[in-house]
Amino acid sequence: MSITAGSAELLRDRAAAVLHDNDAGSWTKAAPRLYPHQWSWDSAFIAIGWAHLDVGRAIAELENLFAAQWQTGMVPHIVFRAGPGEPYFPGPEWWDCPSAPAAPAHPIQTTGICQPPVHALAVLRIWQLTPPARQPEIRARIQALWPRLVSWHRYLATQRDPEGSGLVTVYHPWEGTDNSPRWDRSLARIKLVKPRPYTRLDTRQVRDKSQRPTDWDYDRYLWLVSLLRKYRYDDAEIYRRYPFLIKDVFFSAVLAAANAALLDLADVAGASDADRSQLTGWRDRGYQGLAGCFDADSGLCHDYDVRAGEEIRLRTFAGFAPLFAQTPDAGQRAIQLPLLDSADFCGDPQFRWRLLPSTSPAEPAFQPRNYWRGPIWPVVDWLLWRSLQLLGCFDRAEELRRDSLGQIAADGDFAEYFEPYTGKPLGSARQSWTAAVALDWLAAEAAGGAAAV
Ligand code: 2M8
């Protein structure tokens, strides 16, 4: 479906209104009630949305996020900023980050884990959208942010990859794709002490509990937080003692793409030769790491459980890590592109839109309404769209963009995720990152389909 010029304009106004409504001045709530704080990768997508409205506001989103960066270089997954009338569980007291030597100083309050590094993609997009008159100002702000961006990538390439494998180790399901079935076996293996009594708030907002993680999941999420707290978020200690260490191919692919984006920005930032060669090294090591876990039989990349010493062989969106990374390997692309449109993924004949689901409908763990276990997430399809363009697959990218906009327009309220068979909106309404990617896709509409990627 393609949307008419009139309805595109209406959708653009409504998407902009979502960002304005969720705007807290210098940072943006991920969603009005369900997620009232600043989330890391949400902020990166949100900055891409803001870039279409005001490039200064867009870069402020990232400046404020990076103001909470840890001394290790880690950008925390949540910066707690909401007022007392906007509760979220689990709040800062569950994380006790002030006890961590590397945490930012009071009064900044954060969690002690991180999320995929989409930020460099956002900075590149902001620069591409900066009108000439504002370039001196935005260039100076990018230059000021640059050392923090490089240190963030350095943290991921070193502390989160002590093996030098090119693959990032995640410590927690909250580092991106919460209840993805990718984590099921690893979580089931953990011996845990039941956490102190707690009350979930997410299921008060999303009344249909089947759209959210289970209490079984939450018990494990909180147990892992208690261990990270005990180890004072010290990466070396975590690596020695902690039970949940996963080489995440999707996270690693985003890092490879983000390293390439920083290289594209290197001249704007006035980067040193040392920075350029480090970024090139991290990017290439990322490609090699992904190549090492590419399985030619399934055509997918598999995550790896470091503790169990085993591959995680599931069909999910993450298996397309080579595409998300914009792999230079033509062989992997030749296998993945047809697989993407097979009945196991976008090409399920019963899907309403030909979009990439979070989990393959052919996977026994697939649940079409449950969060990261099946639904379609617009931000994931945005990352895929961007990659397909960079790989020169313009026609497929354009279909993905149109279908994504069709899905969002049919809802009209910027849902967090969508049921693949019916297109039913799920989770939170007025989710900031859905509005943000809609703005980017709509701008590409005005430009005849292609964005400056
Ligand atoms: C979801 O995760 C949060 C915890 O971080 C939650 O369920 O409470 C995930 O979709 C995550 O990737 C996202 O960043 C966050 C805010 O949109 O919500």
Side-chain angles (χ1 to χ4, degrees):
M1 169 187 145
S2 78
I3 54 177
T4 63
S7 58
E9 207 173 310
L10 197 66
L11 195 62
R12 192 175 303 117
D13 290 348
R14 296 182 71 161
V18 169
L19 290 193
H20 283 297
D21 289 352
N22 293 343
D23 184 10
S26 53
W27 62 278
T28 312
K29 288 176 205 169
R33 277 176 297 280
L34 186 59
Y35 308 122
H37 300 282
Q38 185 176 26
W39 262 259
S40 171
W41 70 325
D42 296 63
S43 269
F45 288 110
I46 289 165
I48 291 169
W50 278 123
H52 291 280
L53 308 174
D54 173 358
V55 286
R57 178 61 188 81
I59 197 138
E61 186 76 26
L62 296 171
E63 288 164 346
N64 277 292
L65 176 71
F66 276 79
Q69 186 170 29
W70 285 39
Q71 278 168 36
T72 50
M74 185 184 77
V75 176
H77 117 276
I78 302 176
V79 187
F80 292 108
R81 297 190 189 275
E86 298 174 292
Y88 173 77
F89 176 83
E93 65 286 358
W94 283 80
W95 296 88
D96 187 27
C97 285
S99 69
H106 179 81
I108 299 174
Q109 289 188 308
T110 75
T111 61
I113 55 173
C114 59
Q115 288 186 317
V118 180
H119 316 88
L121 275 50
V123 179
L124 181 58
R125 198 81 187 93
I126 292 169
W127 179 248
Q128 288 163 342
L129 291 167
T130 300
R134 295 201 68 182
Q135 284 181 2
E137 173 212 339
I138 298 299
R139 181 194 300 270
R141 291 171 75 175
I142 291 176
Q143 288 178 347
L145 199 56
W146 180 262
R148 289 182 175 268
L149 286 160
V150 175
S151 126
W152 165 220
H153 287 204
R154 179 175 300 111
Y155 167 75
L156 294 173
T158 57
Q159 306 283 346
R160 291 301 189 102
D161 186 19
E163 306 89 349
S165 66
L167 299 171
V168 178
T169 306
V170 295
Y171 296 162
H172 201 288
W174 278 333
E175 295 203 309
T177 58
D178 307 31
N179 73 342
S180 171
R182 298 155 73 198
W183 321 129
D184 287 359
R185 269 170 75 91
S186 313
L187 287 177
R189 239 183 238 119
I190 293 171
K191 292 193 184 64
L192 80 164
V193 175
K194 212 166 157 48
R196 62 187 150 103
Y198 61 89
T199 305
R200 286 177 61 176
L201 299 178
D202 58 318
T203 42
R204 291 192 183 166
Q205 299 296 338
V206 180
R207 292 287 182 165
D208 177 358
K209 277 184 153 202
S210 70
Q211 295 177 27
R212 292 286 306 176
T214 61
D215 290 345
W216 183 94
D217 292 317
Y218 261 72
D219 280 355
R220 277 145 194 87
Y221 298 165
L222 293 170
W223 170 246
L224 290 176
V225 170
S226 75
L227 291 180
L228 291 168
R229 201 170 58 216
K230 179 165 139 196
Y231 305 143
R232 301 170 80 206
Y233 304 95
D234 177 292
D235 294 283
E237 187 72 353
I238 291 166
Y239 239 83
R240 269 194 296 276
R241 303 175 58 188
Y242 183 72
F244 186 91
L245 300 175
I246 314 278
K247 291 288 181 191
D248 176 336
V249 292
F250 171 67
F251 202 125
S252 308
V254 174
L255 180 60
N259 281 320
L262 284 193
L263 284 165
D264 286 345
L265 278 165
D267 288 343
V268 177
S272 65
D273 288 346
D275 276 358
R276 288 171 204 254
S277 79
Q278 257 194 338
L279 290 166
T280 308
W282 295 335
R283 181 200 60 193
D284 293 347
R285 202 160 72 194
Y287 295 147
Q288 283 155 20
L290 291 174
C293 47
F294 183 72
D295 169 40
D297 289 340
S298 64
L300 297 170
C301 258
H302 296 303
D303 303 304
Y304 182 79
D305 181 326
V306 176
R307 278 291 176 256
E310 72 178 28
E311 279 185 344
I312 302 174
R313 300 183 66 85
L314 279 178
R315 285 160 291 179
T316 72
F317 79 101
F320 291 97
L323 294 184
F324 287 110
Q326 298 117 45
T327 178
D329 184 320
Q332 287 172 20
R333 293 202 301 268
I335 294 174
Q336 291 221 306
L337 287 166
L339 182 63
L340 183 67
D341 285 326
S342 71
D344 284 357
F345 291 98
C346 306
D348 182 322
Q350 294 186 63
F351 276 10
R352 177 155 180 205
W353 310 100
R354 218 153 58 96
L355 295 171
L356 180 60
S358 47
T359 299
S360 163
E363 195 56 57
F366 175 77
Q367 293 175 30
R369 295 162 61 89
N370 188 342
Y371 215 36
W372 289 94
R373 301 179 80 86
I376 291 166
W377 288 73
V379 288
V380 168
D381 281 76
W382 184 90
L383 288 170
L384 181 63
W385 168 73
R386 179 183 186 276
S387 288
L388 291 175
Q389 283 197 314
L390 287 168
L391 292 171
C393 306
F394 299 113
D395 291 347
R396 185 64 187 100
E398 177 55 9
E399 285 168 8
L400 202 72
R401 188 186 70 83
R402 284 175 187 271
D403 282 343
S404 295
L405 278 178
Q407 177 178 252
I408 291 171
D411 160 34
D413 216 11
F414 304 94
E416 189 182 3
Y417 45 98
F418 295 86
E419 210 267 62
Y421 299 122
T422 58
K424 183 182 161 50
L426 301 169
S428 175
R430 303 181 74 72
Q431 178 88 6
S432 296
W433 67 8
T434 306
V437 294
L439 282 169
D440 202 47
W441 276 322
L442 286 162
E445 176 101 3
V453 285

